[in-house]
Amino acid sequence: MAMSPIFQRKADPMTDIILPLLIGMIVLTALFHKTPMFSVFIRGAREGLDTAVSILPSLVALLTAVSMLRASGAVEALARLLEPLLSKVGLPAETLMLMLIKPFSGSGALATGADIIREFGPDSYIGRVAAVMLGSSETTFYTISVYFGAVGITKTRHAIPAALLADFTAFLMAALTVRLLM
């Protein structure tokens, strides 16, 4: 029986060597420094699980809020409201949904970006702007909930407005950069 194309890959000697070399270097360094590798590994795994458990409530709340916002139609209504303003500053109106979803959900933004690229084409101005937007901005609320939740910060103060301003700047620069390089 033939293997599925998903599991077939071309042999690349460099990538086949890198991971074993990295693991070997870690083991040799630990042996050289007389580090108890297993106990250090177990302690790191325990700390990783503790971090995952501590951020879980924030993640559940964030994902619930994003789902409710999308299902309510509020995102589409806000997109229609902001469309004239954003087109005046040089942002394609077709990328507005992407700009609204990106700060909340990376997977939602990726799906929205894929829809934009499928509709307008990867070589179109709109498709390129969407692709650059996906790579040049952050899922702000996810990042803040994960990192602030992991260390127990409950008052974000200026972090959210500053991060949203950075996202908007990234969106503007994505459109400008694509316009200059096309």
Side-chain angles (χ1 to χ4, degrees):
M1 185 160 101
M3 284 180 47
S4 167
I6 295 172
F7 298 109
Q8 294 175 356
R9 67 178 184 91
K10 293 182 181 179
D12 182 7
M14 192 64 165
T15 57
D16 290 342
I17 292 172
I18 289 175
L19 188 58
L21 280 177
L22 183 63
I23 292 171
M25 287 175 27
I26 291 169
V27 169
L28 287 175
T29 303
L31 287 172
F32 179 75
H33 291 289
K34 296 182 171 124
T35 303
M37 289 182 279
F38 187 72
S39 63
V40 170
F41 175 77
I42 295 298
R43 185 174 63 231
R46 183 177 297 121
E47 289 174 7
L49 285 174
D50 290 344
T51 301
V53 167
S54 71
I55 65 173
L56 192 60
S58 300
L59 289 177
V60 169
L62 176 69
L63 293 174
T64 302
V66 168
S67 296
M68 290 172 61
L69 191 62
R70 289 185 76 190
S72 71
V75 174
E76 289 83 6
L78 187 58
R80 284 191 301 275
L81 180 69
L82 294 176
E83 186 176 342
L85 174 68
L86 292 175
S87 63
K88 285 183 181 179
V89 294
L91 291 165
E94 296 82 0
T95 62
L96 190 56
M97 182 63 83
L98 175 62
M99 290 185 282
L100 293 174
I101 289 177
K102 180 67 176 177
F104 294 97
S105 168
S107 59
L110 192 57
T112 303
D115 289 343
I116 290 170
I117 291 170
R118 191 176 313 112
E119 183 177 344
F120 297 99
D123 292 331
S124 68
Y125 172 69
I126 295 167
R128 289 180 183 192
V129 169
V132 174
M133 284 178 175
L134 282 169
S136 63
S137 60
E138 184 59 74
T139 51
T140 302
F141 292 103
Y142 172 82
T143 304
I144 287 175
S145 69
V146 168
Y147 292 127
F148 282 26
V151 293
I153 296 174
T154 56
K155 296 181 182 175
T156 59
R157 194 172 164 141
H158 302 296
I160 291 176
L164 291 174
L165 182 61
D167 284 341
F168 185 69
T169 303
F171 297 145
L172 285 172
M173 291 308 299
L176 176 64
T177 302
V178 171
R179 200 169 339 146
L180 290 174
L181 296 177
M182 263 187 96

